[in-house]
Amino acid sequence: MNGNSDQAGAWGLSAAIRLRLVHPGVSAGQRAVGQPEDRPRRWRPMVDIHDSYKTALHVAFANDAAARDQDLRVKRGEPLYTEEEYRNRVEFYLSRIPYRLLKMRYSSFTRYFGHLKRLAWVEETGETEPSELQEYYPPAPPRVYYRLTPAGREASEVDWSDPLIALYNYSRVQRSAKRRIYLTRR
């Protein structure tokens, strides 16, 4: 594994968001309450996109952990895992992910998704459906469906991994908290 694995992992997760916007059937397969089974799923509400993102984050972590195990086996001169053994290692790590390690707050995701909307990479489809919350609190907002725009399809993985860079034309150095501290001390 190289030093860029964290950055590559972030790019892979942003690609996962795009994939779930374009091909919603790729996710865990949960459907909205009361949604008919035969309805074509061409786009998704933000709550489902968040769930897919969180699942992709967990799977990426488990795959990275299994890859580290594989690297250790190679260093010790042991044979590589078979495909089945590797899948079992990934499942092992998926079942043992500490909550505090990979929690993904919905409020953080709504901020991220707001950046995507301001960049016009996602747009509302005009389709809504009642939310589960509306059963108990009718003034609650409905589930709003979103789709990926052509601009969102054309955006680079780097831009998807940190949309603030694209939104405000920041450089990577300007977005680094450590770099900001050093710049203010001079």
Side-chain angles (χ1 to χ4, degrees):
M1 301 207 14
N2 59 30
N4 294 332
S5 63
D6 291 338
Q7 188 66 31
W11 292 345
L13 294 174
S14 59
I17 292 174
R18 258 196 282 195
L19 178 65
R20 275 138 180 107
L21 278 162
V22 177
H23 305 289
V26 174
S27 75
Q30 296 179 338
R31 61 184 186 88
V33 174
Q35 177 185 338
E37 296 271 349
D38 58 348
R39 184 174 149 249
R41 300 278 314 259
R42 297 183 320 195
W43 35 73
R44 315 232 354 227
M46 189 170 63
V47 166
D48 292 352
I49 297 166
H50 170 259
D51 184 53
S52 295
Y53 180 80
K54 192 171 183 175
T55 301
L57 184 64
H58 290 171
V59 169
F61 173 81
N63 279 320
D64 285 349
R68 281 192 301 276
D69 284 355
Q70 186 84 291
D71 289 346
L72 288 174
R73 287 177 70 93
V74 169
K75 287 178 184 175
R76 292 189 300 240
E78 298 174 5
L80 296 175
Y81 288 128
T82 64
E83 285 185 38
E84 184 178 344
E85 289 173 327
Y86 193 83
R87 275 194 305 272
N88 289 340
R89 292 307 295 168
V90 170
E91 289 298 321
F92 171 81
Y93 284 113
L94 272 173
S95 67
R96 288 166 178 78
I97 292 176
Y99 173 74
R100 291 183 57 123
L101 179 63
L102 290 177
K103 59 186 172 191
M104 169 50 133
R105 302 279 184 202
Y106 186 71
S107 60
S108 298
F109 186 78
T110 57
R111 291 182 66 201
Y112 174 80
F113 205 78
H115 299 317
L116 301 181
K117 290 194 306 191
R118 281 192 293 284
L119 286 163
W121 292 353
V122 295
E123 65 185 3
E124 292 183 10
T125 64
E127 182 182 350
T128 62
E129 68 183 16
S131 66
E132 194 172 328
L133 181 59
Q134 284 179 314
E135 292 177 21
Y136 308 102
Y137 183 69
R143 292 166 52 106
V144 176
Y145 281 72
Y146 292 89
R147 69 175 148 236
L148 192 61
T149 64
R153 285 185 185 90
E154 294 170 8
S156 72
E157 291 294 325
V158 173
D159 290 340
W160 270 88
S161 70
D162 190 353
L164 288 177
I165 289 174
L167 190 59
Y168 299 115
N169 293 319
Y170 288 149
S171 68
R172 180 70 62 187
V173 173
Q174 286 175 303
R175 289 281 295 142
S176 170
K178 289 182 180 178
R179 182 69 179 155
R180 233 174 307 160
I181 291 169
Y182 297 129
L183 288 174
T184 58
R185 288 184 182 170
R186 292 182 185 174

